[in-house]
Amino acid sequence: MFKDIYQNRRMIYKLAKNDFKTRYAGSVFGTVWAVVQPLVTIAVYYFVFGLGFRGGQDVGTIPFVLYLVAGIVPWLYFQEALMNGTSSLLEYSYLVKKVVFNINVLPVVKLVSASFVHLVFICITFILFAFYGRFPDLYCLQLIYYFVCLSLLILALSYTTSAVVVLFRDLGQIVNILLQVGVWLTPIMYDVNAMFANYPWVPKVLKLNPVYYIVSGYRDALLNKRWFWESPKWTLYFWVVTVLLFLFGKWVFNRLRVHFADVL
C-alpha cells in the first residue's frame, strides 16, 4: 500500500490540491474560509471555557489560550481528515468505478487535503506562542513525529470507515456523532488530571484513546518540553493500537472493495 502511495504521490498531491480548492469554489473568499471557520471555533471555546468557566485563570503556569490551541489544533485536523476520509469513496465514486484506478489512494487524498489547513495552523500556533514569549526550540521538532502519528492513525481509521460507509451509509452520521463526543473525551478544553484529582482512574481510562497521546504530545512539544521517549509504555501502546487498526482497516477495505463498483 505504501508503495502505491509513493508511486502515485504526484497524482495524490494534484487530487488533494484540487479537492481543497473545489471545496470552497464559488464563495467570495474561497479557501480563506478553511482557516476562518476553525479560528471561530477556537475563539468560541476560549470565550466559553477560558473567560467563562475559568475566569481567565491559567492552567498552572500556562496561559489557557496556549493550552487550548496546543490541544485543539491536532484535534481539528483529526476531525476534518477522518470525516472527509470516511466519505472519500462516495465522493470519488466515478474513480472507484474505473478498473484501472488504484482506489487505495483515495483516503490518502483526503488526508493530504486536510493537512494543508493543519500546517497553516501550526504556523499560526508558532506566531501566537511567540506573542507570549515562547519561541520554537528543539522540542518543537517533535511536532513532525506527532504529525506522522496522527496521519497514520487517521488513515488507519479511514480505510475502515470509507469501506463500510459504502455499504452502510449511516456510518457517516455515526462517525460525526462520535467525533462530537470525542472532543470531550480527549482533554482539550480542560486539564484531566486537575479535574479528576479525586478519581485517578479516569485519566487512565481516557488515555486508552489514542488521540489523547497525540494531543498530549503536541502539548509536550510546545508547552511542557518533554520528549516522546520519556513515556515509553504509552508510546508503545499507541503504536500497537495504530498498527492493529491499520491491519484491520486494510483487511476490511480489501474484503469489501469487490462490492464498491456495484453499490456505487
Side-chain angles (χ1 to χ4, degrees):
M1 187 205 67
F2 290 106
K3 181 180 178 181
D4 291 338
I5 294 174
Y6 178 77
Q7 290 177 341
N8 295 279
R9 61 189 183 279
R10 291 186 177 86
M11 181 190 66
I12 291 173
Y13 176 75
K14 290 180 180 179
L15 285 174
K17 185 178 178 181
N18 183 67
D19 178 88
F20 181 73
K21 289 182 177 180
T22 55
R23 198 182 314 167
Y24 304 96
S27 60
V28 176
F29 296 102
T31 56
V32 174
W33 290 113
V35 177
V36 171
Q37 291 175 352
L39 280 177
V40 171
T41 300
I42 294 174
V44 170
Y45 282 144
Y46 174 70
F47 179 78
V48 174
F49 294 95
L51 301 180
F53 290 124
R54 300 186 62 87
Q57 294 181 356
D58 298 339
V59 181
T61 59
I62 301 172
F64 180 76
V65 64
L66 301 186
Y67 183 85
L68 173 64
V69 169
I72 202 171
V73 165
W75 174 263
L76 291 175
Y77 173 48
F78 175 79
Q79 179 177 263
E80 180 184 2
L82 182 58
M83 281 298 298
N84 293 338
T86 299
S87 62
S88 58
L89 298 182
L90 298 176
E91 188 171 337
Y92 288 100
S93 59
Y94 61 93
L95 293 177
V96 176
K97 297 175 184 179
K98 291 186 177 181
V99 179
V100 295
F101 188 83
N102 190 345
I103 61 175
N104 282 323
V105 304
L106 291 179
V108 184
V109 169
K110 290 295 186 177
L111 182 72
V112 175
S113 177
S115 68
F116 295 154
V117 177
H118 182 63
L119 295 177
V120 171
F121 268 89
I122 291 294
C123 296
I124 295 175
T125 299
F126 284 144
I127 295 172
L128 177 63
F129 274 61
F131 180 78
Y132 280 84
R134 297 170 182 259
F135 299 94
D137 53 19
L138 288 177
Y139 289 97
C140 292
L141 293 176
Q142 292 183 105
L143 293 178
I144 300 174
Y145 163 75
Y146 287 113
F147 174 74
V148 172
C149 291
L150 184 54
S151 297
L152 291 177
L153 175 63
I154 295 169
L155 195 58
L157 295 172
S158 294
Y159 275 118
T160 300
T161 57
S162 64
V164 175
V165 78
V166 173
L167 305 177
F168 180 60
R169 301 297 175 92
D170 292 347
L171 180 63
Q173 301 302 323
I174 294 174
V175 170
N176 188 33
I177 293 173
L178 291 176
L179 287 172
Q180 292 179 23
V181 175
V183 71
W184 302 106
L185 297 180
T186 307
I188 294 175
M189 274 76 73
Y190 59 91
D191 183 356
V192 65
N193 294 310
M195 178 170 288
F196 298 101
N198 297 326
Y199 304 93
W201 59 271
V202 175
K204 295 180 180 179
V205 172
L206 293 180
K207 281 186 177 182
L208 297 177
N209 175 7
V211 186
Y212 190 162
Y213 174 78
I214 305 295
V215 170
S216 297
Y218 270 63
R219 284 177 174 150
D220 284 343
L222 293 167
L223 297 169
N224 302 322
K225 306 304 177 183
R226 296 180 70 251
W227 297 103
F228 70 89
W229 57 74
E230 294 181 39
S231 304
K233 293 182 179 179
W234 200 11
T235 299
L236 178 61
Y237 168 78
F238 170 82
W239 282 110
V240 169
V241 170
T242 301
V243 170
L244 291 177
L245 289 173
F246 214 107
L247 294 175
F248 178 74
K250 283 303 297 176
W251 177 78
V252 171
F253 194 89
N254 291 333
R255 286 293 300 269
L256 297 181
R257 65 183 300 166
V258 296
H259 305 289
F260 292 163
D262 295 334
V263 175
L264 294 174

